[in-house]
PDB file of all heavy atoms in Angstrom:
ATOM      1  N   ARG A   1     -10.220  10.528   3.592  1.00  0.00           N
ATOM      2  CA  ARG A   1      -9.140  11.403   3.277  1.00  0.00           C
ATOM      3  C   ARG A   1      -8.792  12.246   4.522  1.00  0.00           C
ATOM      4  O   ARG A   1      -9.433  12.878   5.046  1.00  0.00           O
ATOM      5  CB  ARG A   1      -9.631  12.356   2.065  1.00  0.00           C
ATOM      6  CG  ARG A   1      -8.543  13.407   1.631  1.00  0.00           C
ATOM      7  CD  ARG A   1      -9.063  14.293   0.618  1.00  0.00           C
ATOM      8  NE  ARG A   1     -10.189  15.076   0.986  1.00  0.00           N
ATOM      9  CZ  ARG A   1     -11.400  15.044   0.580  1.00  0.00           C
ATOM     10  NH1 ARG A   1     -11.723  14.094  -0.348  1.00  0.00           N
ATOM     11  NH2 ARG A   1     -12.371  15.850   0.930  1.00  0.00           N
ATOM     12  N   LYS A   2      -7.415  12.351   4.711  1.00  0.00           N
ATOM     13  CA  LYS A   2      -6.899  13.169   5.808  1.00  0.00           C
ATOM     14  C   LYS A   2      -5.609  13.809   5.268  1.00  0.00           C
ATOM     15  O   LYS A   2      -4.677  13.311   4.812  1.00  0.00           O
ATOM     16  CB  LYS A   2      -6.380  12.181   7.009  1.00  0.00           C
ATOM     17  CG  LYS A   2      -7.527  11.417   7.609  1.00  0.00           C
ATOM     18  CD  LYS A   2      -8.589  12.128   8.303  1.00  0.00           C
ATOM     19  CE  LYS A   2      -9.615  11.272   8.931  1.00  0.00           C
ATOM     20  NZ  LYS A   2     -10.811  11.974   9.347  1.00  0.00           N
ATOM     21  N   PRO A   3      -5.607  15.246   5.373  1.00  0.00           N
ATOM     22  CA  PRO A   3      -4.598  16.015   4.838  1.00  0.00           C
ATOM     23  C   PRO A   3      -3.139  15.698   5.531  1.00  0.00           C
ATOM     24  O   PRO A   3      -2.120  15.839   4.844  1.00  0.00           O
ATOM     25  CB  PRO A   3      -4.851  17.428   4.941  1.00  0.00           C
ATOM     26  CG  PRO A   3      -6.078  17.429   6.076  1.00  0.00           C
ATOM     27  CD  PRO A   3      -6.534  16.012   5.925  1.00  0.00           C
ATOM     28  N   ASP A   4      -3.273  15.323   6.645  1.00  0.00           N
ATOM     29  CA  ASP A   4      -2.039  14.968   7.453  1.00  0.00           C
ATOM     30  C   ASP A   4      -1.973  13.477   7.766  1.00  0.00           C
ATOM     31  O   ASP A   4      -1.417  13.090   8.780  1.00  0.00           O
ATOM     32  CB  ASP A   4      -1.904  15.796   8.771  1.00  0.00           C
ATOM     33  CG  ASP A   4      -3.106  15.546   9.816  1.00  0.00           C
ATOM     34  OD1 ASP A   4      -4.126  14.933   9.067  1.00  0.00           O
ATOM     35  OD2 ASP A   4      -3.248  15.925  10.767  1.00  0.00           O
ATOM     36  N   GLY A   5      -2.383  12.597   6.893  1.00  0.00           N
ATOM     37  CA  GLY A   5      -2.558  11.195   7.084  1.00  0.00           C
ATOM     38  C   GLY A   5      -1.349  10.430   6.894  1.00  0.00           C
ATOM     39  O   GLY A   5      -0.237  10.957   6.809  1.00  0.00           O
ATOM     40  N   TYR A   6      -1.295   9.157   6.791  1.00  0.00           N
ATOM     41  CA  TYR A   6      -0.216   8.264   6.715  1.00  0.00           C
ATOM     42  C   TYR A   6       0.112   7.899   5.263  1.00  0.00           C
ATOM     43  O   TYR A   6      -0.805   7.985   4.380  1.00  0.00           O
ATOM     44  CB  TYR A   6      -0.494   7.023   7.531  1.00  0.00           C
ATOM     45  CG  TYR A   6      -1.611   6.085   6.971  1.00  0.00           C
ATOM     46  CD1 TYR A   6      -1.304   5.215   5.864  1.00  0.00           C
ATOM     47  CD2 TYR A   6      -2.956   6.275   7.261  1.00  0.00           C
ATOM     48  CE1 TYR A   6      -2.253   4.416   5.329  1.00  0.00           C
ATOM     49  CE2 TYR A   6      -3.868   5.405   6.728  1.00  0.00           C
ATOM     50  CZ  TYR A   6      -3.588   4.602   5.800  1.00  0.00           C
ATOM     51  OH  TYR A   6      -4.497   3.794   5.111  1.00  0.00           O
ATOM     52  N   ILE A   7       1.307   7.476   4.991  1.00  0.00           N
ATOM     53  CA  ILE A   7       1.648   6.818   3.759  1.00  0.00           C
ATOM     54  C   ILE A   7       2.540   5.574   4.173  1.00  0.00           C
ATOM     55  O   ILE A   7       3.584   5.784   4.914  1.00  0.00           O
ATOM     56  CB  ILE A   7       2.554   7.795   2.940  1.00  0.00           C
ATOM     57  CG1 ILE A   7       1.765   9.087   2.595  1.00  0.00           C
ATOM     58  CG2 ILE A   7       3.007   7.066   1.620  1.00  0.00           C
ATOM     59  CD1 ILE A   7       2.642  10.127   1.859  1.00  0.00           C
ATOM     60  N   LEU A   8       2.052   4.405   3.738  1.00  0.00           N
ATOM     61  CA  LEU A   8       2.783   3.266   4.086  1.00  0.00           C
ATOM     62  C   LEU A   8       3.956   3.064   3.145  1.00  0.00           C
ATOM     63  O   LEU A   8       3.917   3.268   2.029  1.00  0.00           O
ATOM     64  CB  LEU A   8       1.879   1.950   3.964  1.00  0.00           C
ATOM     65  CG  LEU A   8       0.675   1.878   4.790  1.00  0.00           C
ATOM     66  CD1 LEU A   8      -0.176   0.633   4.585  1.00  0.00           C
ATOM     67  CD2 LEU A   8       1.093   1.894   6.352  1.00  0.00           C
ATOM     68  N   SER A   9       5.130   2.757   3.814  1.00  0.00           N
ATOM     69  CA  SER A   9       6.308   2.246   3.151  1.00  0.00           C
ATOM     70  C   SER A   9       6.050   1.034   2.471  1.00  0.00           C
ATOM     71  O   SER A   9       5.261   0.138   2.884  1.00  0.00           O
ATOM     72  CB  SER A   9       7.480   2.319   3.971  1.00  0.00           C
ATOM     73  OG  SER A   9       7.455   1.366   4.908  1.00  0.00           O
ATOM     74  N   ILE A  10       6.948   0.549   1.541  1.00  0.00           N
ATOM     75  CA  ILE A  10       6.857  -0.789   0.923  1.00  0.00           C
ATOM     76  C   ILE A  10       7.062  -1.802   1.998  1.00  0.00           C
ATOM     77  O   ILE A  10       6.343  -2.902   2.093  1.00  0.00           O
ATOM     78  CB  ILE A  10       7.895  -0.970  -0.265  1.00  0.00           C
ATOM     79  CG1 ILE A  10       7.358  -0.195  -1.459  1.00  0.00           C
ATOM     80  CG2 ILE A  10       8.082  -2.395  -0.640  1.00  0.00           C
ATOM     81  CD1 ILE A  10       8.053  -0.182  -2.814  1.00  0.00           C
ATOM     82  N   PRO A  11       8.051  -1.620   2.862  1.00  0.00           N
ATOM     83  CA  PRO A  11       8.239  -2.745   3.979  1.00  0.00           C
ATOM     84  C   PRO A  11       6.925  -2.788   4.889  1.00  0.00           C
ATOM     85  O   PRO A  11       6.666  -3.931   5.351  1.00  0.00           O
ATOM     86  CB  PRO A  11       9.433  -2.168   4.802  1.00  0.00           C
ATOM     87  CG  PRO A  11      10.259  -1.386   3.850  1.00  0.00           C
ATOM     88  CD  PRO A  11       9.228  -0.683   2.976  1.00  0.00           C
ATOM     89  N   GLU A  12       6.274  -1.704   5.121  1.00  0.00           N
ATOM     90  CA  GLU A  12       4.996  -1.717   5.883  1.00  0.00           C
ATOM     91  C   GLU A  12       3.968  -2.479   5.185  1.00  0.00           C
ATOM     92  O   GLU A  12       3.269  -3.260   5.660  1.00  0.00           O
ATOM     93  CB  GLU A  12       4.612  -0.397   6.298  1.00  0.00           C
ATOM     94  CG  GLU A  12       5.374   0.295   7.346  1.00  0.00           C
ATOM     95  CD  GLU A  12       5.154   1.721   7.545  1.00  0.00           C
ATOM     96  OE1 GLU A  12       4.860   2.519   6.594  1.00  0.00           O
ATOM     97  OE2 GLU A  12       5.133   2.208   8.724  1.00  0.00           O
ATOM     98  N   ILE A  13       3.888  -2.274   3.777  1.00  0.00           N
ATOM     99  CA  ILE A  13       2.953  -3.012   2.963  1.00  0.00           C
ATOM    100  C   ILE A  13       3.265  -4.434   2.941  1.00  0.00           C
ATOM    101  O   ILE A  13       2.306  -5.243   3.103  1.00  0.00           O
ATOM    102  CB  ILE A  13       2.933  -2.325   1.497  1.00  0.00           C
ATOM    103  CG1 ILE A  13       2.415  -0.971   1.563  1.00  0.00           C
ATOM    104  CG2 ILE A  13       2.133  -3.290   0.523  1.00  0.00           C
ATOM    105  CD1 ILE A  13       2.554  -0.296   0.108  1.00  0.00           C
ATOM    106  N   LEU A  14       4.482  -4.843   2.802  1.00  0.00           N
ATOM    107  CA  LEU A  14       4.801  -6.151   2.782  1.00  0.00           C
ATOM    108  C   LEU A  14       4.530  -6.942   4.095  1.00  0.00           C
ATOM    109  O   LEU A  14       4.155  -8.045   4.140  1.00  0.00           O
ATOM    110  CB  LEU A  14       6.326  -6.346   2.586  1.00  0.00           C
ATOM    111  CG  LEU A  14       6.766  -6.123   1.107  1.00  0.00           C
ATOM    112  CD1 LEU A  14       8.228  -6.111   0.945  1.00  0.00           C
ATOM    113  CD2 LEU A  14       6.155  -7.073   0.133  1.00  0.00           C
ATOM    114  N   GLY A  15       4.615  -6.160   5.327  1.00  0.00           N
ATOM    115  CA  GLY A  15       4.212  -6.721   6.496  1.00  0.00           C
ATOM    116  C   GLY A  15       2.824  -7.114   6.532  1.00  0.00           C
ATOM    117  O   GLY A  15       2.379  -8.098   7.249  1.00  0.00           O
ATOM    118  N   LYS A  16       2.014  -6.281   6.023  1.00  0.00           N
ATOM    119  CA  LYS A  16       0.509  -6.622   5.916  1.00  0.00           C
ATOM    120  C   LYS A  16       0.225  -7.823   5.023  1.00  0.00           C
ATOM    121  O   LYS A  16      -0.686  -8.585   5.216  1.00  0.00           O
ATOM    122  CB  LYS A  16      -0.177  -5.296   5.481  1.00  0.00           C
ATOM    123  CG  LYS A  16      -0.334  -4.188   6.445  1.00  0.00           C
ATOM    124  CD  LYS A  16      -0.973  -2.921   6.072  1.00  0.00           C
ATOM    125  CE  LYS A  16      -1.012  -1.811   7.126  1.00  0.00           C
ATOM    126  NZ  LYS A  16      -1.813  -2.115   8.251  1.00  0.00           N
ATOM    127  N   VAL A  17       0.996  -7.839   3.937  1.00  0.00           N
ATOM    128  CA  VAL A  17       0.819  -9.029   2.970  1.00  0.00           C
ATOM    129  C   VAL A  17       1.204 -10.216   3.666  1.00  0.00           C
ATOM    130  O   VAL A  17       0.523 -11.220   3.525  1.00  0.00           O
ATOM    131  CB  VAL A  17       1.681  -8.758   1.675  1.00  0.00           C
ATOM    132  CG1 VAL A  17       1.564  -9.958   0.798  1.00  0.00           C
ATOM    133  CG2 VAL A  17       1.181  -7.482   1.046  1.00  0.00           C
ATOM    134  N   ARG A  18       2.211 -10.181   4.346  1.00  0.00           N
ATOM    135  CA  ARG A  18       2.644 -11.434   5.080  1.00  0.00           C
ATOM    136  C   ARG A  18       1.561 -11.885   6.051  1.00  0.00           C
ATOM    137  O   ARG A  18       1.292 -13.095   6.096  1.00  0.00           O
ATOM    138  CB  ARG A  18       3.987 -11.351   5.772  1.00  0.00           C
ATOM    139  CG  ARG A  18       5.259 -11.090   5.031  1.00  0.00           C
ATOM    140  CD  ARG A  18       6.538 -10.848   5.767  1.00  0.00           C
ATOM    141  NE  ARG A  18       7.572 -10.311   4.866  1.00  0.00           N
ATOM    142  CZ  ARG A  18       8.067  -9.083   5.054  1.00  0.00           C
ATOM    143  NH1 ARG A  18       7.699  -8.259   5.967  1.00  0.00           N
ATOM    144  NH2 ARG A  18       8.925  -8.801   4.298  1.00  0.00           N
ATOM    145  N   ALA A  19       0.923 -11.038   6.785  1.00  0.00           N
ATOM    146  CA  ALA A  19      -0.072 -11.278   7.701  1.00  0.00           C
ATOM    147  C   ALA A  19      -1.328 -11.904   6.912  1.00  0.00           C
ATOM    148  O   ALA A  19      -1.957 -12.880   7.426  1.00  0.00           O
ATOM    149  CB  ALA A  19      -0.508 -10.094   8.484  1.00  0.00           C
ATOM    150  N   ALA A  20      -1.506 -11.346   5.735  1.00  0.00           N
ATOM    151  CA  ALA A  20      -2.615 -12.115   4.885  1.00  0.00           C
ATOM    152  C   ALA A  20      -2.360 -13.369   4.420  1.00  0.00           C
ATOM    153  O   ALA A  20      -3.087 -14.277   4.527  1.00  0.00           O
ATOM    154  CB  ALA A  20      -2.873 -11.110   3.571  1.00  0.00           C
ATOM    155  N   VAL A  21      -1.063 -13.656   4.130  1.00  0.00           N
ATOM    156  CA  VAL A  21      -0.613 -14.940   3.486  1.00  0.00           C
ATOM    157  C   VAL A  21      -0.748 -16.016   4.899  1.00  0.00           C
ATOM    158  O   VAL A  21      -1.199 -17.065   4.554  1.00  0.00           O
ATOM    159  CB  VAL A  21       0.824 -14.997   3.061  1.00  0.00           C
ATOM    160  CG1 VAL A  21       1.319 -16.324   2.823  1.00  0.00           C
ATOM    161  CG2 VAL A  21       0.788 -14.152   1.726  1.00  0.00           C
ATOM    162  N   LYS A  22      -0.526 -15.573   6.016  1.00  0.00           N
ATOM    163  CA  LYS A  22      -0.635 -16.440   7.112  1.00  0.00           C
ATOM    164  C   LYS A  22      -2.081 -16.973   7.341  1.00  0.00           C
ATOM    165  O   LYS A  22      -2.233 -17.974   7.904  1.00  0.00           O
ATOM    166  CB  LYS A  22      -0.020 -15.732   8.387  1.00  0.00           C
ATOM    167  CG  LYS A  22       1.376 -15.749   8.521  1.00  0.00           C
ATOM    168  CD  LYS A  22       1.776 -14.933   9.729  1.00  0.00           C
ATOM    169  CE  LYS A  22       3.252 -14.915   9.744  1.00  0.00           C
ATOM    170  NZ  LYS A  22       3.828 -14.161  11.027  1.00  0.00           N
ATOM    171  N   ILE A  23      -3.047 -16.176   6.910  1.00  0.00           N
ATOM    172  CA  ILE A  23      -4.548 -16.682   7.060  1.00  0.00           C
ATOM    173  C   ILE A  23      -5.003 -17.268   5.681  1.00  0.00           C
ATOM    174  O   ILE A  23      -6.074 -17.467   5.483  1.00  0.00           O
ATOM    175  CB  ILE A  23      -5.379 -15.650   7.528  1.00  0.00           C
ATOM    176  CG1 ILE A  23      -5.517 -14.455   6.585  1.00  0.00           C
ATOM    177  CG2 ILE A  23      -5.069 -15.078   8.926  1.00  0.00           C
ATOM    178  CD1 ILE A  23      -6.752 -13.590   6.688  1.00  0.00           C
ATOM    179  N   ASN A  24      -4.043 -17.726   4.755  1.00  0.00           N
ATOM    180  CA  ASN A  24      -4.336 -18.245   3.558  1.00  0.00           C
ATOM    181  C   ASN A  24      -5.102 -17.463   2.442  1.00  0.00           C
ATOM    182  O   ASN A  24      -5.689 -17.957   1.745  1.00  0.00           O
ATOM    183  CB  ASN A  24      -5.225 -19.632   3.824  1.00  0.00           C
ATOM    184  CG  ASN A  24      -4.513 -20.560   4.712  1.00  0.00           C
ATOM    185  OD1 ASN A  24      -3.318 -20.842   4.448  1.00  0.00           O
ATOM    186  ND2 ASN A  24      -5.190 -21.127   5.640  1.00  0.00           N
ATOM    187  N   ALA A  25      -4.778 -16.171   2.561  1.00  0.00           N
ATOM    188  CA  ALA A  25      -5.315 -15.308   1.607  1.00  0.00           C
ATOM    189  C   ALA A  25      -4.706 -15.555   0.249  1.00  0.00           C
ATOM    190  O   ALA A  25      -3.621 -15.840   0.091  1.00  0.00           O
ATOM    191  CB  ALA A  25      -4.984 -13.861   1.952  1.00  0.00           C
ATOM    192  N   THR A  26      -5.573 -15.537  -0.684  1.00  0.00           N
ATOM    193  CA  THR A  26      -5.176 -15.720  -2.159  1.00  0.00           C
ATOM    194  C   THR A  26      -5.088 -14.389  -2.938  1.00  0.00           C
ATOM    195  O   THR A  26      -4.571 -14.264  -3.974  1.00  0.00           O
ATOM    196  CB  THR A  26      -6.155 -16.675  -2.965  1.00  0.00           C
ATOM    197  OG1 THR A  26      -7.437 -16.048  -2.915  1.00  0.00           O
ATOM    198  CG2 THR A  26      -6.208 -18.018  -2.323  1.00  0.00           C
ATOM    199  N   GLU A  27      -5.488 -13.338  -2.266  1.00  0.00           N
ATOM    200  CA  GLU A  27      -5.642 -12.005  -2.931  1.00  0.00           C
ATOM    201  C   GLU A  27      -5.222 -11.047  -1.831  1.00  0.00           C
ATOM    202  O   GLU A  27      -5.564 -11.012  -0.735  1.00  0.00           O
ATOM    203  CB  GLU A  27      -7.057 -11.764  -3.451  1.00  0.00           C
ATOM    204  CG  GLU A  27      -7.267 -10.361  -3.937  1.00  0.00           C
ATOM    205  CD  GLU A  27      -8.746 -10.091  -4.056  1.00  0.00           C
ATOM    206  OE1 GLU A  27      -9.401 -10.698  -4.688  1.00  0.00           O
ATOM    207  OE2 GLU A  27      -9.260  -9.114  -3.413  1.00  0.00           O
ATOM    208  N   VAL A  28      -4.510  -9.829  -2.397  1.00  0.00           N
ATOM    209  CA  VAL A  28      -4.462  -8.606  -1.650  1.00  0.00           C
ATOM    210  C   VAL A  28      -5.049  -7.567  -2.521  1.00  0.00           C
ATOM    211  O   VAL A  28      -4.837  -7.562  -3.797  1.00  0.00           O
ATOM    212  CB  VAL A  28      -3.043  -8.231  -1.146  1.00  0.00           C
ATOM    213  CG1 VAL A  28      -2.642  -9.054   0.069  1.00  0.00           C
ATOM    214  CG2 VAL A  28      -2.019  -8.222  -2.275  1.00  0.00           C
ATOM    215  N   CYS A  29      -5.773  -6.701  -1.981  1.00  0.00           N
ATOM    216  CA  CYS A  29      -6.512  -5.656  -2.684  1.00  0.00           C
ATOM    217  C   CYS A  29      -5.912  -4.332  -2.194  1.00  0.00           C
ATOM    218  O   CYS A  29      -5.914  -3.921  -0.941  1.00  0.00           O
ATOM    219  CB  CYS A  29      -8.032  -5.553  -2.357  1.00  0.00           C
ATOM    220  SG  CYS A  29      -8.887  -4.244  -3.254  1.00  0.00           S
ATOM    221  N   ILE A  30      -5.189  -3.646  -3.048  1.00  0.00           N
ATOM    222  CA  ILE A  30      -4.404  -2.421  -2.718  1.00  0.00           C
ATOM    223  C   ILE A  30      -4.969  -1.154  -3.440  1.00  0.00           C
ATOM    224  O   ILE A  30      -5.088  -1.215  -4.705  1.00  0.00           O
ATOM    225  CB  ILE A  30      -2.957  -2.659  -3.160  1.00  0.00           C
ATOM    226  CG1 ILE A  30      -2.430  -3.936  -2.426  1.00  0.00           C
ATOM    227  CG2 ILE A  30      -2.099  -1.329  -2.893  1.00  0.00           C
ATOM    228  CD1 ILE A  30      -0.949  -4.185  -2.921  1.00  0.00           C
ATOM    229  N   GLN A  31      -5.305  -0.242  -2.649  1.00  0.00           N
ATOM    230  CA  GLN A  31      -5.769   1.052  -3.198  1.00  0.00           C
ATOM    231  C   GLN A  31      -5.387   2.167  -2.060  1.00  0.00           C
ATOM    232  O   GLN A  31      -5.084   1.915  -1.056  1.00  0.00           O
ATOM    233  CB  GLN A  31      -7.307   1.161  -3.385  1.00  0.00           C
ATOM    234  CG  GLN A  31      -7.861   0.152  -4.350  1.00  0.00           C
ATOM    235  CD  GLN A  31      -9.349   0.270  -4.436  1.00  0.00           C
ATOM    236  OE1 GLN A  31      -9.869   1.196  -5.401  1.00  0.00           O
ATOM    237  NE2 GLN A  31     -10.122  -0.401  -3.728  1.00  0.00           N
ATOM    238  N   GLY A  32      -5.314   3.428  -2.624  1.00  0.00           N
ATOM    239  CA  GLY A  32      -5.074   4.447  -1.742  1.00  0.00           C
ATOM    240  C   GLY A  32      -5.379   5.841  -2.295  1.00  0.00           C
ATOM    241  O   GLY A  32      -5.981   5.872  -3.452  1.00  0.00           O
ATOM    242  N   GLY A  33      -5.275   6.833  -1.478  1.00  0.00           N
ATOM    243  CA  GLY A  33      -5.570   8.114  -2.014  1.00  0.00           C
ATOM    244  C   GLY A  33      -4.649   8.554  -3.059  1.00  0.00           C
ATOM    245  O   GLY A  33      -3.656   8.032  -3.479  1.00  0.00           O
ATOM    246  N   LEU A  34      -4.926   9.732  -3.787  1.00  0.00           N
ATOM    247  CA  LEU A  34      -4.212  10.215  -4.838  1.00  0.00           C
ATOM    248  C   LEU A  34      -3.061  11.213  -4.296  1.00  0.00           C
ATOM    249  O   LEU A  34      -3.310  12.254  -3.746  1.00  0.00           O
ATOM    250  CB  LEU A  34      -5.020  10.991  -5.905  1.00  0.00           C
ATOM    251  CG  LEU A  34      -6.209  10.279  -6.390  1.00  0.00           C
ATOM    252  CD1 LEU A  34      -7.050  11.201  -7.426  1.00  0.00           C
ATOM    253  CD2 LEU A  34      -5.669   9.015  -7.122  1.00  0.00           C
ATOM    254  N   LEU A  35      -1.847  10.760  -4.277  1.00  0.00           N
ATOM    255  CA  LEU A  35      -0.746  11.557  -3.883  1.00  0.00           C
ATOM    256  C   LEU A  35      -0.249  12.451  -5.074  1.00  0.00           C
ATOM    257  O   LEU A  35      -0.238  11.896  -6.246  1.00  0.00           O
ATOM    258  CB  LEU A  35       0.412  10.700  -3.388  1.00  0.00           C
ATOM    259  CG  LEU A  35       0.014   9.784  -2.057  1.00  0.00           C
ATOM    260  CD1 LEU A  35       1.205   8.739  -1.898  1.00  0.00           C
ATOM    261  CD2 LEU A  35      -0.187  10.735  -0.913  1.00  0.00           C
ATOM    262  N   PRO A  36       0.059  13.611  -4.808  1.00  0.00           N
ATOM    263  CA  PRO A  36       0.422  14.518  -5.948  1.00  0.00           C
ATOM    264  C   PRO A  36       1.586  14.096  -6.831  1.00  0.00           C
ATOM    265  O   PRO A  36       1.483  14.354  -8.072  1.00  0.00           O
ATOM    266  CB  PRO A  36       0.749  15.912  -5.293  1.00  0.00           C
ATOM    267  CG  PRO A  36       1.068  15.534  -3.815  1.00  0.00           C
ATOM    268  CD  PRO A  36       0.231  14.283  -3.520  1.00  0.00           C
ATOM    269  N   ASP A  37       2.534  13.356  -6.279  1.00  0.00           N
ATOM    270  CA  ASP A  37       3.665  13.004  -7.044  1.00  0.00           C
ATOM    271  C   ASP A  37       3.657  11.433  -7.484  1.00  0.00           C
ATOM    272  O   ASP A  37       4.689  10.905  -8.022  1.00  0.00           O
ATOM    273  CB  ASP A  37       4.966  13.312  -6.381  1.00  0.00           C
ATOM    274  CG  ASP A  37       5.009  12.636  -4.979  1.00  0.00           C
ATOM    275  OD1 ASP A  37       3.938  12.072  -4.560  1.00  0.00           O
ATOM    276  OD2 ASP A  37       6.130  12.602  -4.502  1.00  0.00           O
ATOM    277  N   ARG A  38       2.597  10.684  -7.118  1.00  0.00           N
ATOM    278  CA  ARG A  38       2.699   9.309  -7.247  1.00  0.00           C
ATOM    279  C   ARG A  38       2.448   8.954  -8.929  1.00  0.00           C
ATOM    280  O   ARG A  38       1.537   9.526  -9.545  1.00  0.00           O
ATOM    281  CB  ARG A  38       1.420   8.779  -6.616  1.00  0.00           C
ATOM    282  CG  ARG A  38       1.400   7.183  -6.575  1.00  0.00           C
ATOM    283  CD  ARG A  38       2.651   6.562  -5.920  1.00  0.00           C
ATOM    284  NE  ARG A  38       2.974   6.961  -4.518  1.00  0.00           N
ATOM    285  CZ  ARG A  38       2.915   6.231  -3.470  1.00  0.00           C
ATOM    286  NH1 ARG A  38       2.618   4.890  -3.654  1.00  0.00           N
ATOM    287  NH2 ARG A  38       3.252   6.626  -2.330  1.00  0.00           N
ATOM    288  N   ASP A  39       3.433   8.284  -9.320  1.00  0.00           N
ATOM    289  CA  ASP A  39       3.365   7.864 -10.846  1.00  0.00           C
ATOM    290  C   ASP A  39       3.424   6.356 -11.079  1.00  0.00           C
ATOM    291  O   ASP A  39       3.309   5.598 -10.061  1.00  0.00           O
ATOM    292  CB  ASP A  39       4.672   8.539 -11.547  1.00  0.00           C
ATOM    293  CG  ASP A  39       5.991   8.075 -10.861  1.00  0.00           C
ATOM    294  OD1 ASP A  39       5.989   7.064 -10.124  1.00  0.00           O
ATOM    295  OD2 ASP A  39       7.013   8.681 -11.158  1.00  0.00           O
ATOM    296  N   VAL A  40       3.479   5.962 -12.277  1.00  0.00           N
ATOM    297  CA  VAL A  40       3.407   4.591 -12.678  1.00  0.00           C
ATOM    298  C   VAL A  40       4.515   3.650 -12.023  1.00  0.00           C
ATOM    299  O   VAL A  40       4.337   2.749 -11.441  1.00  0.00           O
ATOM    300  CB  VAL A  40       3.379   4.369 -14.242  1.00  0.00           C
ATOM    301  CG1 VAL A  40       3.345   2.941 -14.524  1.00  0.00           C
ATOM    302  CG2 VAL A  40       2.172   5.146 -14.808  1.00  0.00           C
ATOM    303  N   LEU A  41       5.726   4.306 -12.019  1.00  0.00           N
ATOM    304  CA  LEU A  41       6.864   3.672 -11.503  1.00  0.00           C
ATOM    305  C   LEU A  41       6.746   3.309  -9.942  1.00  0.00           C
ATOM    306  O   LEU A  41       7.013   2.233  -9.563  1.00  0.00           O
ATOM    307  CB  LEU A  41       8.114   4.468 -11.569  1.00  0.00           C
ATOM    308  CG  LEU A  41       9.387   3.881 -10.992  1.00  0.00           C
ATOM    309  CD1 LEU A  41       9.769   2.604 -11.691  1.00  0.00           C
ATOM    310  CD2 LEU A  41      10.578   4.901 -11.250  1.00  0.00           C
ATOM    311  N   SER A  42       6.098   4.175  -9.181  1.00  0.00           N
ATOM    312  CA  SER A  42       5.942   4.017  -7.765  1.00  0.00           C
ATOM    313  C   SER A  42       4.911   2.899  -7.495  1.00  0.00           C
ATOM    314  O   SER A  42       5.067   2.161  -6.616  1.00  0.00           O
ATOM    315  CB  SER A  42       5.603   5.278  -7.080  1.00  0.00           C
ATOM    316  OG  SER A  42       4.350   5.947  -7.623  1.00  0.00           O
ATOM    317  N   TYR A  43       3.820   2.843  -8.373  1.00  0.00           N
ATOM    318  CA  TYR A  43       2.954   1.746  -8.299  1.00  0.00           C
ATOM    319  C   TYR A  43       3.601   0.339  -8.694  1.00  0.00           C
ATOM    320  O   TYR A  43       3.272  -0.638  -8.047  1.00  0.00           O
ATOM    321  CB  TYR A  43       1.676   2.010  -9.083  1.00  0.00           C
ATOM    322  CG  TYR A  43       0.745   3.022  -8.695  1.00  0.00           C
ATOM    323  CD1 TYR A  43      -0.267   3.544  -9.526  1.00  0.00           C
ATOM    324  CD2 TYR A  43       0.779   3.537  -7.355  1.00  0.00           C
ATOM    325  CE1 TYR A  43      -1.128   4.567  -9.088  1.00  0.00           C
ATOM    326  CE2 TYR A  43      -0.142   4.500  -6.857  1.00  0.00           C
ATOM    327  CZ  TYR A  43      -1.133   5.039  -7.753  1.00  0.00           C
ATOM    328  OH  TYR A  43      -1.940   5.969  -7.409  1.00  0.00           O
ATOM    329  N   CYS A  44       4.352   0.480  -9.726  1.00  0.00           N
ATOM    330  CA  CYS A  44       5.028  -0.771 -10.163  1.00  0.00           C
ATOM    331  C   CYS A  44       6.058  -1.301  -9.028  1.00  0.00           C
ATOM    332  O   CYS A  44       6.192  -2.417  -8.869  1.00  0.00           O
ATOM    333  CB  CYS A  44       5.926  -0.509 -11.398  1.00  0.00           C
ATOM    334  SG  CYS A  44       4.896  -0.404 -12.919  1.00  0.00           S
ATOM    335  N   GLU A  45       6.715  -0.397  -8.330  1.00  0.00           N
ATOM    336  CA  GLU A  45       7.476  -0.803  -7.248  1.00  0.00           C
ATOM    337  C   GLU A  45       6.857  -1.597  -6.149  1.00  0.00           C
ATOM    338  O   GLU A  45       7.275  -2.553  -5.546  1.00  0.00           O
ATOM    339  CB  GLU A  45       8.316   0.400  -6.649  1.00  0.00           C
ATOM    340  CG  GLU A  45       9.360   1.006  -7.569  1.00  0.00           C
ATOM    341  CD  GLU A  45       9.907   2.371  -7.090  1.00  0.00           C
ATOM    342  OE1 GLU A  45       9.332   2.964  -6.028  1.00  0.00           O
ATOM    343  OE2 GLU A  45      10.899   2.795  -7.577  1.00  0.00           O
TER     344      GLU A  45
END
């Protein structure tokens, strides 16, 4: 945890997913810290 840390945008997350697919990944595991305003809709997006 870092109070002034990073938050990846969806395009940034997709960039990491593409890199995983290139090495034949069958799974991406996604977790993060608890953001004060993060709701179900933002996870669904």
